[in-house]
Structures are given as structure tokens and as C-alpha cells.
Amino acid sequence: MTRPAAPLSGSQRQLTLTVNGGRYATDGQHVREVIRRPRLTRVPHGPPALIGVCNLRGTVLPVVSLARLMGIEPGPEQRVAVLDQGGAIGLLVDAVLTLDADADTQP
């Protein structure tokens, strides 16, 4: 995860999101979709960042808290960015501000 980035070429996508009041940007090329926080089922003895799993159109989706991965206190965590990283994984964040090639120009 990187802080707000330099302008991108037209072929790249950027994901801009918030975590506990902080604004972050990263490569959005692997983002499949953004969904509201679903009902999650806890995983016994799972790592602290693994909030749980959910059913996303018939597929089990593990959901991790970006705040916990970063070692900070979680905020409201209302959105999940579904990433395709050789398999789907959900990244739980407070809000997704933009997912486009021109994220730095959005209000």
C-alpha cells in the first residue's frame, strides 16, 4: 500500500480508499469489484487480520482488515474491495473513494 501517488498513464487504474481517517492509494488493476460489507463468518484460530469469510456468488471469499494488517485501529470498515490475486480476496476498508485512471483529480 502506498500513499497518494503521482499521475498515472491512461491504461492504469488506481484505487483510492480510506482507513481510520487516512487516505491511501494503490494499483487498482487487480480490483474485481467493490461491495458493501457482507455478513461474515469468523474463522476459529485465524490470524487477527482475517475478519472472516463470506459467500460471494457461490465462492468463499476470505476478508481481511487493511487496518489490522497495517497495525492501526480499525474505523467503520464498511466496504470490501474484491481483489483477484491468483484467487479472490476481500480487503475491508472504511470507504472506497475512487477506482479509475484519474483518481488524483477526483474531489
Side-chain angles (χ1 to χ4, degrees):
M1 197 49 80
T2 59
R3 295 266 176 197
L8 301 170
S9 69
S11 64
Q12 292 179 304
R13 290 192 337 169
Q14 185 175 16
L15 174 69
T16 307
L17 49 87
T18 62
V19 176
N20 196 10
R23 183 175 172 168
Y24 301 90
T26 190
D27 182 1
Q29 123 183 9
H30 298 290
V31 177
R32 206 188 289 172
E33 64 183 297
V34 176
I35 61 174
R36 291 185 184 139
R37 182 182 178 143
R39 169 175 263 170
L40 297 168
T41 302
R42 298 279 309 156
V43 176
H45 308 291
L50 178 63
I51 302 304
V53 296
C54 70
N55 178 346
L56 182 64
R57 290 182 290 288
T59 301
V60 175
L61 179 71
V63 177
V64 296
S65 166
L66 182 56
R68 291 182 187 198
L69 284 174
M70 294 173 23
I72 62 176
E73 187 69 29
E77 297 185 318
Q78 296 297 313
R79 295 288 184 256
V80 176
V82 180
L83 309 177
D84 186 0
Q85 294 286 319
I89 186 166
L91 194 60
L92 187 60
V93 300
D94 295 345
V96 171
L97 303 175
T98 60
L99 176 58
D100 60 23
D102 299 312
D104 287 337
T105 65
Q106 298 296 318

